[in-house]
Amino acid sequence: MAADGPLERDPATPASVAGLSKPAPGSTWSDLETTHLIDAYEEKWNSSKRGPLRAQQWEDVAVEVAGRCGLTRPSKSGTQCRHKIEKLRKRYRSERLRPVRSLWPFFERIDRMERGPLPISGRLPPPAPASSSSCSDFKPHLSNKRSVNGILGEAGLRGSARVSRNVRPRKRQVEEEDEEDDDEENEEEADEGSDVGRGGLTELAAELRRFGEGYVRMERKRIEMMREKEREWMEMESRRLEMVMEAQRGLVETIAGAFWKKAKNSDDL
């Protein structure tokens, strides 16, 4: 008996000799089988330098697909694998002509297969390390620049020292005059500030006074309105009591009249 597991056979041995049944023609392809077919074909195609495969190579692709799917025997023949690859490529070419991005699930996979692996020449070379000669050329320029800057700096310091000695007395005089002017301006600003402060307090007091008077007027008006409402309520209450007493008086008179008529009728009998 044949052992279970991935199918392996001699390429020179035909399928009938190996005891394999021929796959049924026209059987459908599942997504898993299609994916394994693309992978197996790409490997075989690249190993043959991306040339057309022979019939025996297609049979090997069918065996590889069955092994990747966990089958003990191929479910598709080599011819069926070749026809499926041709259909996939035809669908890929039609999907590429669409104006929008293709939603076909195998588009990206077929596209990578058709483009092939990225050649080594297409990769970016690593950056070259800096040579010692360039560093040595840079150092003298840097040292010369520093020396020139030092000379210019020292000359500038000497010139500024001479100018500062000549300008210092005049500068001190100007500063003293500026200080006197600043003192006078500060005194004037203080006087103006005090006047402004007194004026602000006066306006604030006037505003508080107007606010207080307005509040008193509103409070008086509110009290008058409350008194008016209370007076109206008392008048309504007195009228209500008069109406109740009038109704009671009428009721008593009606009852008394009824009794008087009844007594009179009894006397007549």
Side-chain angles (χ1 to χ4, degrees), residues 130-230:
S131 60
S132 59
S133 60
S134 60
C135 295
S136 60
D137 293 338
F138 178 73
K139 290 180 180 179
H141 291 292
L142 183 61
S143 60
N144 293 336
K145 185 177 180 181
R146 290 177 179 175
S147 61
V148 171
N149 290 338
I151 294 172
L152 293 176
E154 292 177 359
L157 290 175
R158 295 193 191 97
S160 62
R162 287 194 297 270
V163 171
S164 61
R165 283 194 298 270
N166 296 330
V167 173
R168 188 176 292 112
R170 176 60 181 169
K171 184 178 180 181
R172 185 181 296 110
Q173 182 180 358
V174 172
E175 289 178 352
E176 291 176 354
E177 294 177 355
D178 292 340
E179 290 178 358
E180 293 178 357
D181 295 339
D182 293 339
D183 293 338
E184 294 177 357
E185 292 178 357
N186 293 333
E187 292 178 357
E188 294 177 357
E189 291 177 356
D191 295 337
E192 293 178 357
S194 60
D195 295 338
V196 172
R198 287 191 294 270
L201 292 176
T202 303
E203 293 179 359
L204 179 60
E207 289 291 335
L208 292 175
R209 190 183 306 107
R210 285 193 294 269
F211 176 77
E213 292 175 354
Y215 180 77
V216 170
R217 286 194 299 269
M218 291 178 61
E219 190 67 18
R220 289 177 179 175
K221 188 174 181 179
R222 186 179 66 84
I223 294 173
E224 291 177 358
M225 291 175 64
M226 290 178 63
R227 290 177 178 176
E228 184 67 24
K229 289 182 179 180
E230 185 177 0

Side-chain angles (χ1 to χ4, degrees), residues 6-20 44 55-57 59-60 63 74:
L7 182 61
E8 296 181 1
R9 62 181 178 86
D10 188 1
T13 305
S16 60
V17 177
L20 302 176
K44 184 67 67 175
Q56 185 57 51
Q57 291 176 322
E59 294 296 335
D60 294 339
V63 173

